[in-house]
Amino acid sequence: MAEGRKRVLSGIQPSGTLHLGNYFGMMKPSIELQDSGQECFYFIADYHALTQMPDPKQLRERSVGVAVDFLACGLDPERTTFFRQSDVPEVHELTWILSCLTPVGLLERCHSYKDKIARGLVPNHGLFSYPVLMAADILIYGSHLVPVGKDQKQHLEVTRDLAIRFNNAYGEILVVPEAMIRDEVAVVPGLDGQKMSKSYDNTIELFGEPKATRQKIMRIVTDSTPMESPKNPDTCNVFALYTLMASAAEIADLRARYLAGGMGYGHAKQALAEKYSQTFAGLRERRQELLADPRRVEDILQAGAARARAVARETLNRVRAAVGVG
Ligand code: ADP
Ligand code: TRP
């Protein structure tokens, strides 16, 4: 890595069809970071998704599907090291070594684990040790910055804690990373106004079928202000989604129409549907090209894994020597 450059690393689980919340909350900011002058490592966290024991065929297809969607959205494999977690098995060796430094109580306190148990899920050991695998993901690449949503903040704290414990015990070998927590305002609302999430069945898919997507947009919940009355854009889900895609002038124009009255929510929804199809038309085309060439996508992931493995190997060799194995 060039002097002064920092390594940015993030992962996404291939756990479902990507939606506008994932795109505006995670994918777009990650892709924009490619222009920041830092060195980006992004990966598909298929071993993390395995903690939910999905159907094998589905897990494999979703992993490739997320890769295709990311590439279609502008992830540039020339500039970014893009790979599948399971193509770098070295990460498990570091996971074990870190596990031996991890107090059980630290994992028992993790909210995401506690929440799942509270919802009645019977945990497997993988779910319990999930944050240790995540720490290994981050530490094995000597990552400096980790952009994640707020829900992952505690896992970053665990990662930092483990890196510090390791360095105290064995010498300054691991980089202690910083979280880059994405801003709260970036929460994208779903059809019902709650946070858009596949768990709430309120999503607009990123690459949904056009007609079905239009119908979904027409179903977005609005208040019952009559057609002729002025409307408040700042409390409207349709307007919130529109602002993510439109230019400043277009947003100002729609705002004025809300405030003036005489415009029904149906019109705002039409404007949103138009904007959605314009915004993603080019990306859809690129996605079709990638879908038609699965070999190319696999080659990209393999080339990324080879680059990632070289970095992982180097860290692992130093770690193994430090702890006295091998
Ligand atoms: P879901 O809630 O649909 O299960 P995930 O938890 O898998 O989504 O999220 C994957 C990434 O997308 C995370 O980085 C998360 O912060 C981001 N993300 C998901 N939903 C939203 C949303 N509605 N607004 C902003 N970011 C989101
Ligand atoms: N746990 C993260 C999530 O569910 C995904 C992930 C796995 C990750 N390993 C990571 C994110 C390392 C950042 C860095 O969103």
Side-chain angles (χ1 to χ4, degrees):
M1 194 167 27
E3 205 54 37
R5 266 183 112 196
K6 293 203 163 157
R7 183 164 291 141
V8 176
L9 171 128
S10 197
I12 182 164
Q13 289 195 54
S15 50
T17 310
L18 295 168
H19 53 72
L20 293 186
N22 300 137
Y23 178 73
F24 288 106
M26 190 267 179
M27 300 167 76
K28 190 166 178 257
S30 303
I31 288 165
E32 284 168 357
L33 272 170
Q34 294 182 135
D35 300 321
S36 67
Q38 321 290 14
E39 184 190 21
C40 298
F41 271 47
Y42 296 145
F43 68 94
I44 317 282
D46 53 348
Y47 268 125
H48 275 106
L50 195 62
T51 58
Q52 290 158 46
M53 298 227 299
D55 171 68
K57 184 164 173 277
Q58 200 178 51
L59 178 59
R60 193 179 298 283
E61 283 171 4
R62 280 182 177 169
S63 299
V64 176
V66 170
V68 165
D69 289 356
F70 244 110
L71 291 164
C73 289
L75 186 142
D76 174 3
E78 298 293 321
R79 285 187 292 161
T80 291
T81 299
F82 186 43
F83 59 101
R84 196 168 20 212
Q85 186 182 32
S86 59
D87 288 330
V88 188
E90 284 80 1
V91 76
H92 298 296
E93 218 173 314
L94 183 60
T95 303
W96 178 256
I97 294 169
L98 293 174
S99 284
C100 297
L101 284 169
T102 310
V104 166
L106 187 68
L107 300 179
E108 281 171 342
R109 283 194 296 277
C110 284
H111 305 305
S112 115
Y113 176 72
K114 287 199 294 191
D115 290 351
K116 288 192 174 111
I117 303 189
R119 279 193 270 126
L121 196 121
V122 179
N124 55 47
H125 179 250
L127 187 73
F128 183 62
S129 60
Y130 178 116
V132 189
L133 175 58
M134 181 158 164
D137 283 332
I138 296 169
L139 300 175
I140 206 161
Y141 303 112
S143 317
H144 301 99
L145 298 170
V146 186
V148 283
K150 206 173 139 245
D151 57 322
Q152 298 296 321
K153 188 168 177 246
Q154 193 182 25
H155 292 157
L156 257 295
E157 283 158 11
V158 170
T159 304
R160 287 172 57 86
D161 185 333
L162 296 183
I164 292 167
R165 277 172 201 266
F166 183 96
N167 288 348
N168 285 342
Y170 299 110
E172 292 293 314
I173 291 178
L174 299 175
V175 175
V176 181
E178 305 271 344
M180 276 170 86
I181 304 292
R182 284 186 291 266
D183 219 340
E184 264 309 89
V185 282
V187 173
V188 176
L191 300 179
D192 56 359
Q194 288 189 86
K195 173 186 177 231
M196 187 179 287
S197 168
K198 59 182 171 297
S199 335
Y200 303 148
D201 198 15
N202 66 355
T203 62
I204 298 175
E205 287 177 18
L206 175 53
F207 292 116
E209 199 271 311
K211 192 158 163 238
T213 304
R214 199 174 182 91
Q215 282 166 353
K216 276 193 164 185
I217 291 176
M218 297 324 265
R219 274 189 8 232
I220 296 174
V221 174
T222 50
D223 63 25
S224 52
T225 314
M227 161 103 172
E228 56 284 358
S229 310
K231 299 176 179 60
N232 183 355
D234 298 320
T235 54
C236 179
N237 300 321
V238 180
F239 189 80
L241 289 166
Y242 187 80
T243 59
L244 294 169
M245 297 173 239
S247 69
E250 288 166 334
I251 296 169
D253 183 52
L254 189 64
R255 173 179 287 281
R257 290 169 67 199
Y258 266 77
L259 297 173
M263 181 196 72
Y265 285 119
H267 286 97
K269 289 178 180 177
Q270 299 273 6
L272 174 61
E274 286 301 308
K275 232 341 101 207
Y276 165 85
S277 70
Q278 274 171 24
T279 306
F280 295 108
L283 278 55
R284 262 175 203 279
E285 226 170 89
R286 236 186 305 171
R287 180 166 177 271
Q288 287 309 324
E289 287 166 21
L290 289 159
L291 286 173
D293 194 357
R295 187 66 232 208
R296 182 165 147 225
V297 176
E298 195 53 43
D299 286 350
I300 289 171
L301 292 173
Q302 292 307 318
R307 292 213 294 263
R309 279 191 93 168
V311 179
R313 259 277 125 229
E314 209 179 293
T315 308
L316 193 57
N317 286 342
R318 298 210 290 143
V319 166
R320 284 169 56 114
V323 303
V325 299

